[in-house]
């Protein structure tokens, strides 16, 4: 349930400063909803993390996890809030990554600053979201899923085959790394391959994103999404422009993905089309939000962390564990079997089982949103306006 | 007092079935106007056409003297390409004497114009709170843009507050203020009907269309409903309802139109309609 | 000088213990810590038949050495050696982004002082800048794309080598020669030894595949032959199927091709292309070292005969220096060494030797990466399994030998066909 | 023993209670009519009997056997034919196929005779047997729906507003046929908006109001009862 | 001319496989309005079942006289086994969600697809696996060109299966019940049709046809891999949408057209090999946007 007793914010003319204050006060109010203490402690811990743990590879893992969380939060807007199954989410990720890689690298010898493109690529991805969404969002849910899947297959192939612009299969190498310019006596700082500054960037982006998403969820737009998800005909008759509203969900979701894409290519120094396949991104992010609980920010974050840990740590380490276990047990019949390789090869299988299992046993996910929970247990009226209108 | 809603020769064909045939209606400002008729007479189809869920096969619908499907509105609601196509088709049709191109505004645009409706089978947002349901109703009267929502600008915050207050007022008006935090689906049936009316009122309509508001009500609830409808009307909202319960219809409506087989067979004040032999026949059948 | 003798001992016989000067019984040695050597190859999925034997070759060098001590002045300062093998394949195919992540993992572990790898040139492009910024010594056993290290006079590399080295210093070396040698060698083989005049080229559009295809085409044309599709048959390895290849082979047949050249690897469907030719185009098939793994035979069966490939290195079975290595490898892994196992073994041994010298430079302490990289760059006349290796200023090897093999489906092995040495 | 007994059933659609303790019985050979205004629960009663909307409490017995939890597809086999509201014919199949589907459950090989019987009752269907059912007129579709239900050789036929949307002349035909069907031995439970027509053919009738039976009795008595007029016209 | 005929026969043969898969999509969609994402992988599993049976009975070495009945048996058994798999998937993953919001079975279907792919990956590994071609390998000369016997047999088998399916759906009692269920589930129940059984049968038939497609794919390409189903499935779905989803004839037609588009664009252009997929998936999007009913899709009358 959303909060229904917000105190009025200090009202003044909507200057930029006031807007920022507005954001801030909303964020603090979001914290205030529960007890804000655990969140602040968590945030402080996260800020202090690089000082506590000096191992750069751990920081690297943490920032990578952060990127996945960002992706999951974005898809959650589309699937969790607006109820649109987007199977081509990776396409927007790719668009974000490539827009940065093409506009800030030696590829065309254009070097637009990272900070600008971090925002701009979100807009570019959103633009593509609108271009794809505008004609397709009036389709029924399952058609939309397949159209986005098709789009998700097209985009990496276009990047792969337009070698003149994108470096083809080899991708673009030598993407500019972010740096903080010399201003006000600050000596300037190049990120290079040090994961720590990236970690802070993604942390900041995440904190801001979460605040924005909380705002969104409790706004006019958030209510409209919920309404459309529940009953599109009633929503339309109540005065919600369903197409525009769905489009906004699509575009906002895409912009998060574009965001993550730019960040990703800057961090990795290289983009290649392989990184954006259905199997590598779209499905993984979907599993994250399905597992964690569609529509619930905490759930989505937890789901993202679990799946990230599973695919980047457990499945990578498991062969080693199993092999050492195997040699320590030393059973003759096990000697010929390479358990480790089986463990590593079972990623698809595990993902499949998670998706099917969750939908059958706990469709609301591990940490569901209250609304989604009942909804998935009891079902909603699922009838698009387009159906009702025949083939209008 | 003028005419709020007017239909001119509106027809709707589904495949081989002519569901509504050349129906002319006039709903006057401030009245309670009822549409009755046996099952399958085309009443809900009429409603759906007015509300923009169906596109009429032919005919025109006017709201406060202006066509509900003006090309200009169309531009705003459809892609320019499609609107361009319709504009040309409209010109051609008029030129050939077929009358204007029947265009449908999308439902939300109709609501924005000032026509709100309820549904025969209640269509609330079951998993949203009662208050949120009403606030969704106010959606089309709100101005917060995406960035307002994202950044929670003072403008959005104050609007949100205003909308919430109004929603609470409306809930009080229909007598549901106690349940504002409850999921809509947890309300008893009768309350759900009232909530649907409150949600429709939230869009600030000039015309409220009620599709069988008394269905499934016991006599006591019906009495309360009649009171509510009259209160709404006294606030200057015109009421257009479909109802099967003749007691209710006869009691509250100023004028009644009767549809049968998609055609208008009678129109007039309750007494006149009740004694119209065609109406009696439509309902009870010709004695064998 | 004692050093060459010692190094030879490591490389040739793997007499590790002798390598530390005093041998195990030299009680003056102290173990001062652990030094890791990263090994990055595609070891899962369809790339595994190439990557795994190569990775094993490198790991063999590390396990045989066991530890590394100062080369001359600090022979008592020793470090335990440990291999850190990572897999750069994602969903079964080598992935540059995964390679980049792996190198970041090496870089962030301060005990990793060098790495062997990667296998694929496209992966190298992603990994090199990261390794370069940390000045981590990288020796690839199998990257043959010339643009990784040099700027040929015709400028077709567009300054890539420099871009891949953001710090301007070089940290990347390879023990195999480049496609500037390999591609033309294949072309010469096709036109002169096989006497073919019309080639239909296909390539997987990757760094290696496209590069070797271009070098092949250039030489084939200058040898007087015709290249039929000027687009060089670029395809998308992720989605191309046999049916697509059949379509292309129909086209090749209609244009009268008498040989097909494939730039790419088995994982990018080199075997399937060979198979697709069956019944359509019965002509020899030539490719680079990308199809050297025996998965090619399985993929191409029953049409694997009459397929040739080149390898940037000598034919180990013919080298006396390789005999011990081949036996050791078979003893440890129960299978024959792959086409690049020996190269990987030498790459590992060269890094170990360099570390050994760097320990001296560091005064018997843990050397820095800078010291190790500097010592690798100084490698001169290193006598290893595959011959004598020296690195030039680009990091390229002096050993410019290309071997041409022919697949033999009957024995499931590749037979020696030809050898080209460029001096 | 009554052919069909509906014993105190409650039916809910979600949270809305559509039927409250409805009781009715139909004896062998009768035509029983169920009348009442829209939304009174007539259709729900038929759906409950044929198993499409099982009651949440109460019992439905066919020849004394409880069928209230039996799935619809099994109930058909027990001798309940249902021509549902809105006709629900298979529009993209031919008339003949629709009729064949009506005999889906029958394995006695006697369907030929029943087909002839339907064609005798509705000669129009015979003329149009190869035509897609969706292209039939409303009246023909209604005939098809009834014919299709007859093909299962039901002991009791449930008819949901057979006159809905039909021209008056066709209404007479349909009612004539209903009487013919009844005469040939099929019991009929009929829902009708057109109350006077229904009461003319039925022997007995029940009046439903907001999910309850408010009146029952012989058709003749009900025809004269002011309650019926009131139920419909609110007079 | 020879080149044209080669390309034509390639396109038709490829299209036959797409058509057989597309039929499964269209049947299932027609009856429960579910896009069975796992269908592509069911196709792959069909190919693998066939391969295992061939290996189990050593069919490569059978004499030609035995081979014909052997092949018929091979197809029959593979189709039956794969059909049972399809039924099992429906029972486990889709039936429990029949009344859930639409998103739920869709997500389950995606999960099922991954599960099947995962099983294949685990069991058969990532590599291309050789497949024997048991169809005759000669070719028939037409004078100006020649056509492979394999291609002819493939088209013949496909046409037989399609005609068989069409007859089954049009003429048999169960086929009628399938159509009735697709049109109106409640009315079908009133006819005494057991909906669950009919839906299970539909999955059986769809999966069986996919199995036939799988064997044919294996015979023609002589090589299969675990991830074959993802792309083939998406292309076949495009074919189903192109022909008009829910329409059996449309799916067959769509399959052949898409096969020809791919074959001609790859054969006749130098860019086709790279862009054919993009073309196909663009067709998918464009058809869905501009003509969701496809080429032959009937306009469903509004109620």
């Amino acid at each position: 349930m959303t909060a229904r007793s917000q105190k009025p914010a200090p009202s003044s003319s909507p200057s930029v400063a006031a807007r920022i204050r507005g954001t801030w006060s909303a964020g603090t109010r979001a914290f205030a909803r529960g007890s804000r203490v655990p969140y602040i402690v968590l945030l402080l811990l996260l800020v202090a993390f690089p000082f506590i743990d000096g191992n750069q590879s751990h920081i690297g893992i943490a920032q990578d996890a952060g990127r996945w969380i960002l992706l999951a939060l974005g898809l959650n807007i589309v699937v969790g809030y607006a109820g649109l199954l987007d199977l081509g989410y990776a396409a927007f990720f790719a668009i974000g990554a490539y827009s940065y890689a093409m506009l800030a690298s030696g590829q065309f010898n254009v070097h637009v600053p990272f900070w600008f493109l971090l925002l701009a690529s979100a807009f570019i991805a959103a633009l593509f979201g609108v271009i794809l969404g505008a004609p397709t969002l009036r389709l029924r849910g399952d058609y939309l899923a397949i159209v986005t899947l098709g789009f998700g297959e097209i985009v990496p192939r276009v990047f792969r085959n337009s070698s003149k612009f994108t470096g083809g299969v080899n991708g673009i190498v030598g993407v500019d790394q972010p740096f903080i310019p010399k201003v006000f006596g600050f000596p300037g700082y190049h990120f290079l391959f040090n994961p720590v500054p990236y970690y802070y960037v993604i942390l900041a982006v995440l904190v801001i994103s979460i605040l924005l998403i909380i705002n969104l969820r409790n706004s006019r737009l958030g209510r409209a999404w919920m309404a459309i998800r529940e009953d599109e005909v009633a929503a339309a008759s109540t005065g919600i422009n369903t197409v525009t509203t769905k489009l906004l969900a699509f575009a906002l979701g895409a912009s998060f993905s574009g965001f993550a894409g730019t960040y990703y290519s800057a961090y990795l120094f290289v983009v290649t089309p392989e990184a954006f396949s259905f199997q590598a991104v779209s499905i993984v992010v979907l599993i994250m939000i399905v597992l964690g609980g569609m529509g619930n920010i905490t759930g989505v974050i937890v789901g993202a962390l679990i799946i990230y840990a599973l695919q980047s740590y457990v499945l990578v380490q498991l062969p080693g564990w199993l092999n050492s276990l195997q040699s320590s047990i030393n059973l003759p019949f096990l000697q010929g079997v390479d358990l480790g390789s089986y463990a590593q090869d079972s990623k698809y299988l595990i993902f499949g089982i998670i998706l099917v299992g969750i939908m059958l046993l706990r469709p609301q996910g591990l940490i569901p949103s209250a609304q989604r929970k009942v909804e998935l247990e009891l079902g909603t009226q699922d009838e698009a306006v387009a159906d009702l209108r025949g083939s209008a | 007092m003028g005419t709020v809603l007017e239909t001119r020769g509106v027809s709707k064909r589904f495949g081989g079935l002519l569901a509504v045939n050349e129906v002319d209606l006039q709903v006057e400002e401030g009245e309670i106007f009822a549409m009755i008729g046996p099952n399958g007479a085309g009443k809900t189809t009429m409603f759906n056409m007015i509300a923009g869920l169906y596109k009429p096969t032919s005919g025109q619908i006017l709201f406060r003297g202006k066509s509900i499907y003006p090309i200009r509105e169309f531009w705003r609601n459809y892609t320019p390409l499609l609107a361009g196509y319709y504009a040309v088709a409209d010109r051609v049709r008029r030129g050939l004497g077929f009358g204007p191109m029947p265009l449908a505004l999308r439902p939300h645009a109709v609501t924005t114009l000032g026509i709100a409706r309820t549904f025969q089978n209640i269509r609330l947002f079951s998993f949203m709170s009662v208050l949120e349901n009403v606030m969704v109703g106010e959606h089309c009267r709100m101005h917060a843009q995406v960035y307002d929502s994202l950044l929670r600008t003072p403008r959005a915050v104050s609007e949100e507050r205003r909308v919430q207050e109004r929603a609470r007022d409306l809930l009080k008006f229909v007598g549901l203020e106690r349940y504002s935090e409850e999921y809509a689906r947890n309300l008893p049936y009768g309350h759900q009907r009232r909530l649907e009316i409150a949600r429709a009122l939230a869009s600030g309509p000039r015309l409220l269309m009620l599709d069988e508001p008394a269905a499934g009500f016991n006599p006591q609830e019906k009495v309360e409903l009649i009171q509510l409808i009259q209160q709404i009307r006294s606030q200057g909202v015109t009421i257009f309802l479909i109802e099967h319960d003749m007691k209710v219809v006869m009691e509250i409506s100023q004028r009644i139109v009767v549809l049968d087989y998609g055609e208008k067979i009678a129109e007039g004040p309750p007494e006149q309609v009740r004694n119209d032999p065609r109406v009696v026949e439509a309902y009870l059948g010709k004695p064998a | 000088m004692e050093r060459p003798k010692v190094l030879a001992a490591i490389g040739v016989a793997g007499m590790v213990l002798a390598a530390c000067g005093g041998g195990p019984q030299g009680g003056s040695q102290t173990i001062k810590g652990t030094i890791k050597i990263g090994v990055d190859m595609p070891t899962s999925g369809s790339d595994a038949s190439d990557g795994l034997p190569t990775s094993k070759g490198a790991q063999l060098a590390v396990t045989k050495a066991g530890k590394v001590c100062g080369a001359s002045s600090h022979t008592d300062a020793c470090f335990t050696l440990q291999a850190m093998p990572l897999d750069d394949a994602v969903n079964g195919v080598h992935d540059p982004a995964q390679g980049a992540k792996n190198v970041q993992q090496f870089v962030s572990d301060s005990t990793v002082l060098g790495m062997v790898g990667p296998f694929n040139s496209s992966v190298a492009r992603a990994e090199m800048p990261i390794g370069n910024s940390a000045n981590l010594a990288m020796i690839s056993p199998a990257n043959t794309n010339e643009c990784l290290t040099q700027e040929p006079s015709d400028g077709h590399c567009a300054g890539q080598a420099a871009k891949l080295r953001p710090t301007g210093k070089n940290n990347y070396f390879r023990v195999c020669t480049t496609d500037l040698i390999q591609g033309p060698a294949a072309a010469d083989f096709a036109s002169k030894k096989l006497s073919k005049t019309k080639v239909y080229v296909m390539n997987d559009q990757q760094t290696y595949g496209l590069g070797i295809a271009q070098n092949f085409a250039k030489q084939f044309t200058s040898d007087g032959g015709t290249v039929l599709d000027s687009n060089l048959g670029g395809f998308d390895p992720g989605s191309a199927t046999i049916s697509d290849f059949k379509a292309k082979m129909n086209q090749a047949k209609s244009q009268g091709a008498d040989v097909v050249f494939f730039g790419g690897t088995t994982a990018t469907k080199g075997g399937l292309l060979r198979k697709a030719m069956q019944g359509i185009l019965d002509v020899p098939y030539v490719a680079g070292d990308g199809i050297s793994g025996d998965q090619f035979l399985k993929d191409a069966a029953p049409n694997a005969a009459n397929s040739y490939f080149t390898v940037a290195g000598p034919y180990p079975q013919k080298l006396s220096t390789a005999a011990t290595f081949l036996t050791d490898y078979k003893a440890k892994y129960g299978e024959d060494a792959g086409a690049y196992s020996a190269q990987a073994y030498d790459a590992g041994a060269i890094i170990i030797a360099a570390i050994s010298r760097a320990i001296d430079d560091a005064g018997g302490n843990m050397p820095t990466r800078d010291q190790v990289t500097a010592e690798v760059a100084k490698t001169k006349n290193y006598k290893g399994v595959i011959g004598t290796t020296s690195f030039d200023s680009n990091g390229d090897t002096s050993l410019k030998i290309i071997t041409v093999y022919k697949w033999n489906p009957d024995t499931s092995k590749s037979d020696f066909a030809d050898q080209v040495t460029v001096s | 023993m009554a052919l069909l007994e509906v014993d105190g059933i409650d039916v809910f659609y979600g949270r809305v209670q559509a039927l409250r303790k409805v009781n009715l019985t139909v004896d062998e050979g009768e035509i029983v009519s169920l009348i009442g205004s829209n939304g009174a629960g007539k259709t729900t009663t038929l759906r409950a009997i044929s198993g499409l909307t099982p009651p949440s409490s109460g019992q439905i017995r066919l020849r004394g056997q409880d069928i209230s939890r039996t799935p619809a597809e099994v109930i058909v086999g027990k001798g309940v034919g249902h021509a549902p509201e809105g006709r629900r014919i298979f529009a993209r199949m031919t008339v003949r196929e629709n009729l064949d589907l009506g005999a889906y459950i029958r394995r006695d090989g006697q369907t030929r005779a029943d087909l002839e019987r339907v064609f005798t009752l509705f000669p129009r269907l015979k003329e149009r047997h190869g035509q897609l059912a969706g292209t039939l007129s409303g009246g023909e579709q209604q005939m098809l729906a009834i014919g299709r239900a007859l093909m299962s050789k039901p002991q009791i036929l449930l008819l949901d507003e057979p006159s809905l949307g039909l021209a008056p002349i066709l209404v007479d035909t349909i009612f004539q046929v209903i009487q013919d069907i009844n005469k040939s031995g099929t019991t009929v439970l009929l829902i009708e908006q057109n109350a006077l027509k229904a009461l003319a053919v039925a022997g007995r009738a029940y009046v439903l109001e907001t999910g309850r039976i408010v009146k029952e009795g012989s058709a003749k008595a009900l025809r004269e009862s002011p309650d019926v007029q009131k139920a419909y016209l609110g007079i | 001319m020879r080149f044209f005929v080669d390309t034509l026969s390639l396109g038709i043969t490829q299209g036959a496989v797409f058509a057989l898969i597309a039929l499964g999509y269209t049947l299932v969609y027609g009856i429960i309005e579910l896009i069975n994402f796992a269908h592509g992988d069911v196709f792959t599993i069909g190919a693998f079942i066939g391969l295992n049976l061939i290996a189990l009975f050593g069919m490569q070495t059978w004499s030609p006289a035995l081979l014909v009945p052997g092949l018929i048996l091979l197809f029959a058994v593979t189709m039956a086994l794969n059909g049972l798999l399809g039924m099992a998937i429906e029972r486990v993953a889709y039936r429990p969600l029949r009344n859930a919001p639409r998103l739920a079975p869709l997500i389950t279907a995606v999960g099922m697809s991954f599960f099947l792919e995962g099983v294949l990956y685990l069991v058969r590994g990532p590599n291309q696996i050789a497949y024997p071609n048991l169809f005759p390998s000669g070719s028939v000369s037409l004078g100006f060109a020649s056509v492979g016997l394999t291609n002819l047999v493939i088209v013949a088998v496909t046409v037989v299966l399609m005609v068989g399916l069409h007859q089954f759906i049009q003429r048999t009692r169960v086929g009628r019940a399938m159509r009735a269920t697709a049109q109106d589930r409640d009315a079908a129940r009133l006819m005494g049709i057991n909906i669950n059984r009919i839906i299970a049968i539909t999955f059986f038939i769809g999966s069986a046809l996919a199995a036939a497609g799988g064997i044919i794919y294996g015979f023609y390409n002589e090589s299969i891999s675990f991830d074959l189903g993802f792309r083939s499935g998406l292309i076949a779905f495009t074919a189903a949408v192109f022909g008009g989803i829910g329409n059996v004839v449309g799916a067959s037609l769509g399959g052949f057209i898409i096969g020809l588009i791919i074959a001609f664009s790859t054969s006749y252009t130098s860019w086709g090999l790279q862009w054919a997929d993009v073309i196909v998936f663009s067709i998918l999007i464009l058809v869905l946007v501009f003509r969701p009913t496809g080429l032959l899709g009937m306009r469903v009358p509004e109620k």
Side-chain angles (χ1 to χ4, degrees), chain C residues 279-317:
Chain C
I280 297 176
L281 193 60
D282 190 20
V283 299
Y285 171 94
V286 181
D289 49 355
I291 64 157
S292 62
D294 59 4
Q295 182 64 34
F296 175 80
L297 275 183
K298 296 176 195 157
D299 285 5
N303 201 34
N306 223 3
S307 308
Y308 301 87
F309 67 92
T310 54
V311 164
Y315 184 56
Q317 280 78 356

Side-chain angles (χ1 to χ4, degrees), chain C residues 45-46 234 242 246 248 275 295, chain E residues 126-127 220-222 269 274:
Chain C
S46 44
I242 287 204
K246 282 184 178 171
K248 276 292 165 204
K275 177 179 244 170
Q295 182 64 34
Chain E
N127 290 319
Y220 187 60
N221 287 315
E222 299 185 42
T269 64
Q274 295 164 27

Side-chain angles (χ1 to χ4, degrees), chain E residues 6 56 65 67 88 126 149 167 181 204 211 233-234 236 255 263-264 270 286:
Chain E
D6 282 347
L56 189 64
L67 206 52
L149 270 174
Q167 292 298 312
T181 309
F204 181 91
L234 199 52
F264 275 90
S270 59
L286 294 176

Side-chain angles (χ1 to χ4, degrees), chain A residues 63-372:
Chain A
Q63 66 77 28
D64 205 26
R67 170 177 62 92
W68 281 105
I69 293 175
L70 188 62
L71 283 172
L73 286 172
L75 187 63
N76 180 48
I77 295 180
V78 186
V79 183
Y81 289 169
L84 309 165
L85 186 54
D86 180 357
L87 294 179
Y89 195 55
F92 305 113
F93 184 43
I95 287 168
Y98 269 93
S99 10
Y100 182 66
M102 285 158 77
L103 293 175
S105 71
Q107 185 72 9
F108 302 114
N109 260 319
V110 182
H111 297 276
V112 184
F114 171 79
W115 307 106
F116 173 74
L117 272 182
L118 189 62
L119 290 175
S121 64
F123 278 101
I124 295 171
L127 183 72
F128 276 92
V130 171
I131 290 173
L132 174 70
T136 54
L137 278 172
R138 60 191 179 86
L139 296 174
R140 275 184 16 189
D142 38 9
Y143 274 19
L144 180 72
I146 215 92
V147 163
T148 51
L149 179 62
F151 184 69
E153 288 301 301
I154 287 176
V155 167
R157 281 176 166 81
V158 168
F159 285 136
R160 193 182 301 148
N161 293 321
S162 317
S163 347
K164 279 202 184 105
F165 306 102
T166 63
V169 181
N170 305 313
I172 296 172
V173 174
V175 177
D176 292 354
Q177 289 163 315
F179 66 95
I180 300 169
K182 272 184 216 167
V183 275
F184 305 126
F186 181 76
Y189 180 75
H190 281 261
F191 281 30
L192 296 178
F193 292 96
N194 180 5
V196 176
Y198 290 98
Y199 172 80
Y200 283 117
V201 169
I202 198 78
L203 186 63
V205 167
L206 271 179
V207 169
I208 294 170
S209 302
I210 291 171
L211 294 182
L212 293 182
I213 292 174
I214 290 172
N215 282 345
L216 215 50
R217 193 189 58 191
N218 298 328
S219 73
R220 170 181 191 245
L221 199 53
R223 271 196 308 275
W225 285 333
M226 268 191 263
I228 288 178
R229 196 179 68 211
E230 286 209 14
D231 186 336
E232 201 172 328
V233 174
S237 296
T238 310
I240 295 170
N241 186 341
T242 51
V243 172
T244 316
T245 310
K246 288 200 279 185
L247 210 51
L248 276 173
F250 221 62
L252 281 167
S255 68
F256 276 85
S257 197
F259 232 41
T262 293
Y263 170 83
Y264 177 70
S265 63
Y267 177 73
L268 221 54
F269 195 71
V270 51
V271 282
T272 55
E274 268 71 29
F276 308 104
S277 65
F278 176 69
Q279 284 90 345
V281 181
S282 299
I283 192 74
V284 179
V285 182
L286 181 68
I287 293 171
M288 286 171 173
I289 63 170
V290 167
L291 177 69
M294 281 181 271
N296 181 309
I297 294 176
T298 318
V300 166
I301 293 173
V302 170
L305 288 174
I306 292 175
I307 296 295
Y308 180 78
L310 182 70
Q311 84 160 0
S312 307
Y313 185 70
V314 179
L315 283 179
V316 174
Q317 299 295 323
L318 201 58
W321 297 341
L322 281 178
N323 286 341
S324 58
L325 186 73
Q326 203 172 1
S327 53
S328 67
I329 297 174
N330 202 14
L331 288 173
F333 69 89
L334 272 178
Q335 289 306 309
V337 191
D338 188 0
L339 279 182
S341 74
Y342 277 115
Q344 201 163 20
D345 289 348
S346 52
K347 183 175 128 184
Y348 284 131
L349 191 70
I350 292 171
F351 280 2
I353 290 173
I354 290 177
L355 271 183
V356 177
I358 284 279
M359 280 336 276
L360 291 179
L361 304 174
R362 200 179 157 83
Q364 67 273 30
L366 295 179
I367 306 175
S369 73
Q371 188 193 15
R372 266 298 200 176

Side-chain angles (χ1 to χ4, degrees), chain C residues 35 68-71 73-74 77-79 354-367 371-372 375:
Chain C
I35 290 175
V68 58
C69 307
S73 56
H74 292 84
C78 297
F79 293 84
I355 292 173
S356 162
R357 298 194 299 268
I359 293 174
D360 287 352
D361 299 343
N365 293 317
M366 178 92 160
Q371 286 165 329
V372 174
E375 286 297 341

